[in-house]
Amino acid sequence: MPDGNDKYGTVVYTPESQLRSPVQLLRTMGRDLLHARELGWRLFVRDTSARYRQSILGIFWSFVPPLVTGLVFIILQSKRIVNFGATDIPYPVFAMAGTMLWQLFTESLNGPLASVRGALPLLAKINFPREALILAAFYHILFSLAIKMTLLLGILLLFDIPLTFRLVPALGVIMMLIFLGMGIGLLLTPVSMLYTDISSLLAVAVQLGFFVTPVVYPPPTAFPYSLVTVVNPAGILLTAARDLMAKGALTGSAVPLLLVCLLTVLLLFGAWIVYRVALPLIIERMSS
């Protein structure tokens, strides 16, 4: 395990697990996170420049998928091809907000894995704070959030929904939705580096999750369909963020939301520890 007690910052590797010294592990994690900020930012700038260098439409592609998905369901609902029932807010706002928030969640889910896979050649050759890869993924998601929020605010204004301070708590819930996705993605990253099945399974789970999460339909209230809302943390956060943005208040009790927020923070922190401890072992195994 890396020993970071040396006052000159020298890292000494020992065969002992980092979990045997939890205090030192937490101290090292905090230090590396702090030192990784600049590298994470540079990785984000490099990847973003490379992504749009050969693209004619550029950031347009950041919101086209949820926009098209939302438009499809708006047309289906308006033509009565499907009937999702009445919504508290205009359905176009409901569907657009839902699909954009869902895409943010899926980007958060895939972000850590994509970032680590993209840096795999570097990981085997250069020793640098692994937290830089997490931060680079986080910066990408914040960039995407800024683009989508701009479009969402335009949609709210188009439907005469005033922009008030209620957007502040909504933004806080959206951040929790991002942290939930990153926590799950971070937890799966070490395993998915060994087995590609995880990436395939994740793609299937995301598609299934879209339909079992109230993205384009109101949360069911009749049992057993109401379980879709009760046991689905992404659904609770997505619904709360949409309600706060469009209505300024939550539809139901705030207790489930607070509980999910607490569990999300614990999940993210636990996933970070797993990532921190498991990644050096996996890199060693893949390099041998």
Side-chain angles (χ1 to χ4, degrees), residues 22-287:
V23 176
Q24 184 182 326
L25 172 63
L26 295 177
R27 189 185 301 134
T28 309
M29 287 168 61
R31 183 198 63 194
D32 285 354
L33 183 65
L34 193 65
H35 291 167
R37 290 174 302 167
E38 180 65 23
L39 179 58
W41 174 257
R42 291 190 178 280
L43 289 173
F44 159 70
V45 172
R46 183 203 64 177
D47 294 343
T48 304
S49 302
R51 180 180 300 177
Y52 296 124
R53 187 175 299 136
Q54 295 180 320
S55 172
I56 297 175
L57 299 179
I59 62 172
F60 184 70
W61 295 113
S62 295
F63 56 83
V64 164
L67 193 65
V68 171
T69 306
L71 282 174
V72 168
F73 281 98
I74 290 169
I75 293 171
L76 292 176
Q77 174 81 346
S78 64
K79 299 298 180 183
R80 302 297 180 192
I81 298 173
V82 295
N83 184 10
F84 294 128
T87 54
D88 295 337
I89 56 178
Y91 187 74
V93 177
F94 186 92
M96 285 298 178
T99 52
M100 290 201 185
L101 291 174
W102 178 255
Q103 195 193 20
L104 267 178
F105 174 70
T106 58
E107 288 174 357
S108 309
L109 200 61
N110 292 303
L113 176 59
S115 186
V116 172
R117 280 197 180 279
L120 207 52
L122 290 178
L123 286 170
K125 298 175 182 175
I126 304 174
N127 185 23
F128 62 91
R130 312 307 188 199
E131 282 73 12
L133 301 176
I134 305 175
L135 289 177
F138 183 58
Y139 293 150
H140 277 295
I141 297 163
L142 289 183
F143 182 65
S144 178
L145 171 63
I147 296 171
K148 290 179 176 62
M149 281 303 293
T150 303
L151 186 62
L152 268 178
L153 295 180
I155 293 173
L156 292 177
L157 289 174
L158 185 65
F159 284 86
D160 293 328
I161 297 175
L163 307 181
T164 62
F165 286 107
R166 64 193 178 193
L167 291 173
V168 176
L171 194 58
V173 177
I174 293 173
M175 291 305 299
M176 281 294 159
L177 185 65
I178 291 172
F179 290 154
L180 175 66
M182 288 197 70
I184 299 172
L186 207 54
L187 201 59
L188 294 175
T189 294
V191 185
S192 63
M193 290 177 68
L194 295 176
Y195 306 103
T196 56
D197 307 74
I198 299 299
S199 299
S200 304
L201 187 64
L202 197 58
V204 174
V206 166
Q207 288 185 349
L208 179 63
F210 178 84
F211 293 105
V212 299
T213 302
V215 178
V216 292
Y217 57 84
T221 55
F223 185 81
Y225 304 108
S226 58
L227 292 176
V228 167
T229 307
V230 176
V231 301
N232 184 348
I236 292 173
L237 292 171
L238 188 148
T239 303
R242 182 169 50 198
D243 285 347
L244 288 170
M245 271 194 301
K247 298 190 299 185
L250 298 174
T251 300
S253 169
V255 174
L257 174 62
L258 295 175
L259 184 60
V260 169
C261 289
L262 176 62
L263 292 176
T264 296
V265 173
L266 294 176
L267 170 68
L268 183 62
F269 187 67
W272 181 17
I273 294 177
V274 171
Y275 168 85
R276 173 82 185 194
V277 173
L279 200 61
L281 303 176
I282 292 173
I283 293 171
E284 182 182 355
R285 175 174 171 174
M286 296 180 71
S287 304

